[in-house]
C-alpha cells in the first residue's frame, strides 16, 4: 500500500469490523445539543471547504471515501477497500453497496465519478483541480461498486484527498439541481449521520439525525445512527460571548476558548476542557515579494528580527500558544526542527538590516523613510478567516515593529470580497494564513510554488518547485521528509519569505454530561458529533 504516515502495508486494504458498539437505549435517545462556534462557514459544500474552523461541520452531513485512523493510517469508509497499482497510477476502489444519500438516491461508483467530474469542472474549485486532482486522468465505473481511477503520474497525496472534506460525497441529484450548489445548504445533501435542515445566516445552523445511517468509518465508537437526535451550531464570533453562553447554560459546548478564560473553565467542576494542536501549516505572515519593500530580503529579515515572538505570544495568549519556527506545524511528521532559534527577536540586527537596505530616514512620527517614502506594509485579512485573537496579535506585532525598528505595519480586517480584491490587485505586503490540511504537503502546494492557488508571496524558485513536485509524487515518508526539509529551509531560513508565528490549536469546553467529544486524529480540529452523547 503506497500511502503516507504509516498506512497499512498491504496492497489491498480490506475493511475490518468497526470498533465499539451501541446499546438500543443509546440508539433510541431523543437528545439534542447546542454548540457555539467561532466561525460561520462561507459554504456548506464540502467540495469548497476552506475554513479550518468550519471543518467540524462537514463530516456531520457528508462522508468521504476513506478516513484517518487514530494512528494516522488510512481506514475504510464509503470505500470498503482499495488497491494501488505498483506504478502508483491506478487506484481501484471497492465501494459499500448499502449506502444511500439523504435524498434517497443510491450511493455507487457512478456517484463518485460524478463528484470527481464536478471537482474538475472549470470554475468550480480551481484550487482543488490544480492541486489535489492535478494528476487525475480519468475515473471509470467498472461496476456499481467498483471504480477505477487512473492518474497521469504518481501522487503521494491522492489518498489524503480521498480522506479529506473535499472528497465528501454529494448526491449527484444535488450536483445537478441544487439552487446554489456553491453555497451549499439543505438541498446539497450527502450520506452523513446528520441532515442539514435549517440555516439562518449570521445566527445558527441546525441538523437532525439521519435515521438510516449505518456506515460510520472504521474506528468509530459505535455503528448505526448517531446518539443525538439533533444538534444546533450557534455562530458566536466573540469569545467572551461564547464562554458566557456556556457558563449560563444557553449552550452545552463551545469551541475556541480564549486564553483569558481557560483557567476558569478548567477550574469549574461543571465543565470539561480539551485542547489539541492543529496539523498542516503554522499561522504565518507571508511576505509579498512582488514589490517594495519586501522585494528586498533584508527588509523581510528585518521585520522578523523586529518582533519578539515569545513576548508577543505571552501577552496575547497568556502562555497557551506554542511558538512556530517553520511554515510546517511541529505536529507534522515533516517538520524540520533545525530551524528552531535561527532567527527573530534581535532589534539590533533588524535596524542594521534596514540601514543597509537604505531605510535610514525618519519622519515626524518616528517611522523609517527612504527617498521620502515611509516604510509601510499592509496586511489585509478576510474576516471569516480571522480566529484565535489574531486581530489582537496583529496589534501587538504592529506596536513592536514600530517601537523596535520604525516600521509602519497597517492592519486591515475586511469582508471577503474586499480582501480578494486586494489580493487580485496586489495591494498588500503581508498575507496571513494557516492551513489545517491533514498532510502538510497539500498546504505547501497551495501556498509556495509558482502558480500556487494561494501563492500570495509571488516568490518564484524553480528548485523549490521541483522539490515540492517530487515530494508530492513520492509515497516514501522519508523521501518526502527530506524534500520538505529543503523547502522549509529555503522559504524560512534562506530567503525569509515566511514569518512563522504560532502553531494553531483548537479548544473544546463543555458541560460535564456531554461525552464523546474529541479531535480529528490527524488534523487536530474538533470532530463532528456522531459519537457524542449526553449522559443522564
Amino acid at each position: 500500500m503506497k500511502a503516507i504516515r504509516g498506512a497499512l502495508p498491504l496492497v489491498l486494504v480490506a475493511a475490518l469490523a468497526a470498533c465499539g458498539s451501541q446499546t438500543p437505549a443509546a440508539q433510541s435517545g431523543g437528545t439534542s445539543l447546542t454548540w457555539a462556534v467561532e466561525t460561520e462557514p462561507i459554504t456548506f459544500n464540502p467540495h469548497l471547504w476552506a475554513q479550518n474552523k468550519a471543518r467540524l461541520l462537514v463530516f456531520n452531513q457528508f462522508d468521504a471515501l476513506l478516513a484517518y485512523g487514530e494512528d494516522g493510517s488510512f481506514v475504510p469508509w464509503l470505500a470498503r477497500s482499495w488497491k494501488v497499482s505498483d506504478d502508483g497510477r491506478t487506484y481501484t476502489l471497492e465501494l459499500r453497496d448499502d449506502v444511500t444519500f439523504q435524498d434517497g438516491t443510491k450511493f455507487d461508483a457512478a456517484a463518485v465519478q460524478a463528484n470527481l467530474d464536478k471537482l474538475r469542472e472549470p470554475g468550480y474549485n480551481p484550487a482543488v483541480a490544480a492541486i489535489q486532482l492535478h494528476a487525475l486522468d480519468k475515473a471509470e465505473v467498472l461496476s456499481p461498486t467498483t471504480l477505477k481511477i487512473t492518474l497521469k503520474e504518481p501522487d503521494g497525496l491522492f489518498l489524503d484527498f480521498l480522506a479529506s472534506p473535499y472528497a465528501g460525497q454529494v448526491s449527484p441529484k444535488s450536483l445537478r439541481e441544487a439552487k446554489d450548489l456553491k453555497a451549499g445548504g439543505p438541498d446539497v445533501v450527502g450520506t452523513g449521520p446528520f441532515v442539514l435542515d435549517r440555516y439562518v445566516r449570521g445566527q445558527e445552523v441546525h441538523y437532525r439525525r439521519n435515521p438510516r445511517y449505518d456506515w460510520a468509518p472504521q474506528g468509530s465508537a459505535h455503528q448505526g445512527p448517531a446518539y443525538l437526535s439533533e444538534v444546533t451550531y450557534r455562530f458566536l464570533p466573540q469569545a467572551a460571548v461564547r464562554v458566557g453562553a456556556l457558563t449560563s447554560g444557553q449552550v452545552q459546548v463551545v469551541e475556541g476558548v480564549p486564553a483569558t478564560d481557560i483557567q476558569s473553565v478548567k477550574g469549574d467542576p461543571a465543565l470539561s476542557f480539551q485542547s489539541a494542536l492543529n496539523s498542516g501549516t503554522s499561522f504565518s505572515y507571508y511576505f509579498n515579494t512582488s514589490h517594495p519593500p519586501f522585494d528586498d530580503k533584508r527588509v523581510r529579515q528585518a521585520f522578523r528580527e523586529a518582533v519578539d515572538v515569545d513576548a508577543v505570544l505571552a501577552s496575547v495568549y497568556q502562555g497557551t500558544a506554542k511558538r512556530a519556527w517553520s511554515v510546517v506545524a511541529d505536529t507534522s511528521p515533516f517538520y524540520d526542527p533545525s530551524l528552531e532559534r535561527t532567527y527573530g527577536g534581535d532589534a539590533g540586527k533588524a535596524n542594521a538590516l534596514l540601514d543597509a537596505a537604505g531605510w535610514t530616514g525618519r519622519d515626524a512620527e518616528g517611522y523609517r523613510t527612504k527617498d521620502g517614502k515611509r516604510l509601510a506594509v499592509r496586511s489585509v485579512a478576510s474576516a471569516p478567516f480571522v480566529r484565535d485573537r489574531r486581530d489582537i496579535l496583529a496589534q501587538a506585532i504592529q506596536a513592536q515593529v514600530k517601537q523596535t525598528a520604525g516600521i509602519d505595519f497597517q492592519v486591515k480586517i475586511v469582508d471577503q470580497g474586499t480582501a480578494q480584491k486586494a489580493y487580485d490587485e496586489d495591494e498588500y505586503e503581508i498575507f496571513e494564513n494557516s492551513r489545517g490540511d491533514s498532510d502538510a504537503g497539500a498546504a505547501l502546494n497551495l501556498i509556495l510554488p509558482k502558480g500556487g492557488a494561494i501563492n500570495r508571496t509571488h516568490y518564484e524558485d524553480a528548485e523549490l518547485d521541483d522539490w515540492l513536485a517530487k515530494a508530492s509524487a513520492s509515497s516514501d515518508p522519508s523521501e518526502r521528509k527530506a524534500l520538505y526539509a529543503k523547502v522549509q529551509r529555503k522559504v524560512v531560513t534562506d530567503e525569509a519569505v515566511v514569518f512563522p508565528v504560532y502553531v494553531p490549536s483548537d479548544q473544546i469546553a463543555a458541560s460535564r454530561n456531554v461525552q464523546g467529544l474529541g479531535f480529528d486524529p490527524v488534523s487536530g480540529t474538533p470532530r463532528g458529533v456522531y459519537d457524542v452523547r449526553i449522559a443522564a
Side-chain angles (χ1 to χ4, degrees), residues 56-69:
L56 77 161
L57 302 180
V58 174
F59 287 138
N60 284 333
Q61 189 182 7
F62 300 93
D63 299 327
L65 297 165
L66 309 181
Y68 274 106

Side-chain angles (χ1 to χ4, degrees), residues 285-288 290-294 303 373-381 394 398 401 407-414 419 421-423 425-432 456:
Y285 284 173
Y286 294 82
F287 298 131
N288 184 352
S290 68
H291 61 253
F294 289 141
F303 190 100
K373 183 177 180 181
R374 177 183 286 187
L375 179 51
V377 296
R378 299 162 294 177
S379 170
V380 181
Q398 180 184 57
V401 297
I407 300 172
D408 182 10
F409 179 28
Q410 302 170 5
V411 180
K412 295 182 180 180
I413 297 176
V414 297
K421 183 174 183 291
Y423 302 147
E425 297 179 358
D426 203 29
E427 294 182 349
Y428 66 97
E429 284 71 48
I430 288 177
F431 169 63
E432 60 177 64
R456 294 185 176 132

Side-chain angles (χ1 to χ4, degrees), residues 150-490:
T150 304
L151 306 183
K152 291 175 283 190
E153 60 189 20
D155 184 357
L157 291 167
F158 193 69
L159 289 176
D160 178 75
F161 162 75
L162 296 179
S164 75
Y166 296 124
Q169 295 299 292
V170 178
S171 163
K173 182 178 179 181
S174 292
L175 295 177
R176 295 190 305 267
E177 301 176 9
K179 296 177 182 177
D180 191 342
L181 178 61
K182 286 196 170 185
D187 64 345
V188 179
V189 305
T191 63
F194 290 90
V195 177
L196 192 165
D197 61 3
R198 185 177 73 250
Y199 169 48
V200 182
R201 185 179 300 276
Q203 297 182 35
E204 65 182 32
V205 61
H206 180 268
Y207 296 86
R208 58 180 169 79
R209 180 168 56 199
N210 177 1
R212 296 180 296 187
Y213 193 75
D214 196 21
W215 42 84
Q218 179 183 314
S220 299
H222 78 289
Q223 291 290 305
Y227 294 131
L228 298 172
S229 59
E230 58 181 338
V231 57
T232 302
Y233 293 92
R234 294 180 59 192
F235 309 129
L236 300 178
Q238 296 183 358
V241 174
R242 285 196 304 280
V243 175
L246 176 65
T247 56
S248 65
Q250 298 176 59
V251 304
Q252 295 141 295
V253 185
V254 301
E255 60 84 25
V257 181
T260 51
D261 290 312
I262 288 177
Q263 290 307 315
S264 64
V265 168
K266 286 183 174 180
D268 190 331
L271 302 177
S272 64
F273 176 82
Q274 303 177 55
S275 181
L277 293 170
N278 296 168
S279 65
T281 58
S282 303
F283 175 72
S284 304
Y285 284 173
Y286 294 82
F287 298 131
N288 184 352
T289 65
S290 68
H291 61 253
F294 289 141
D295 58 341
D296 188 329
K297 183 170 74 172
R298 294 169 296 186
V299 181
R300 303 195 295 267
Q301 292 172 321
F303 190 100
R304 298 196 314 188
E305 294 298 335
V307 182
D308 184 339
V309 174
D310 291 324
V312 166
L313 295 181
S315 172
V316 176
Y317 299 107
Q318 300 184 10
T320 64
K322 186 172 188 179
R323 178 171 184 169
W325 289 100
S326 174
V327 61
V328 174
D330 67 1
T331 50
S332 168
F334 303 129
Y335 174 69
D336 180 8
S338 73
L339 274 64
E340 295 176 9
R341 290 172 290 280
T342 58
Y343 63 89
D346 187 333
K349 184 175 181 180
N351 283 287
L353 285 163
L354 292 176
D355 287 343
W359 294 93
T360 54
R362 294 276 183 166
D363 65 16
E365 296 181 64
Y367 293 112
R368 283 181 175 265
T369 61
K370 178 181 180 181
D371 299 328
K373 183 177 180 181
R374 177 183 286 187
L375 179 51
V377 296
R378 299 162 294 177
S379 170
V380 181
S382 174
F385 291 89
V386 176
R387 52 173 282 197
D388 300 348
R389 291 168 58 87
R390 289 175 181 174
D391 52 342
I392 308 302
L393 174 65
Q395 292 171 20
I397 293 175
Q398 180 184 57
Q400 273 214 349
V401 297
K402 176 184 179 181
Q403 181 179 0
T404 303
I407 300 172
D408 182 10
F409 179 28
Q410 302 170 5
V411 180
K412 295 182 180 180
I413 297 176
V414 297
D415 62 86
Q416 188 183 11
T418 301
Q420 188 61 53
K421 183 174 183 291
Y423 302 147
D424 292 343
E425 297 179 358
D426 203 29
E427 294 182 349
Y428 66 97
E429 284 71 48
I430 288 177
F431 169 63
E432 60 177 64
N433 184 267
S434 65
R435 294 280 308 180
D437 302 84
S438 300
D439 189 302
L444 298 180
N445 285 344
L446 284 167
I447 297 171
L448 296 180
K450 180 181 179 180
I454 53 173
N455 179 350
R456 294 185 176 132
T457 66
H458 300 295
Y459 176 75
E460 296 182 11
D461 186 289
E463 187 176 46
L464 175 71
D465 293 354
D466 182 60
W467 293 336
L468 289 168
K470 288 179 177 176
S472 294
S474 175
S475 57
D476 180 349
S478 60
E479 180 182 11
R480 296 184 72 207
K481 183 177 177 65
L483 288 165
Y484 286 137
K486 292 181 179 180
V487 168
Q488 292 167 75
R489 293 185 203 119
K490 169 81 77 172

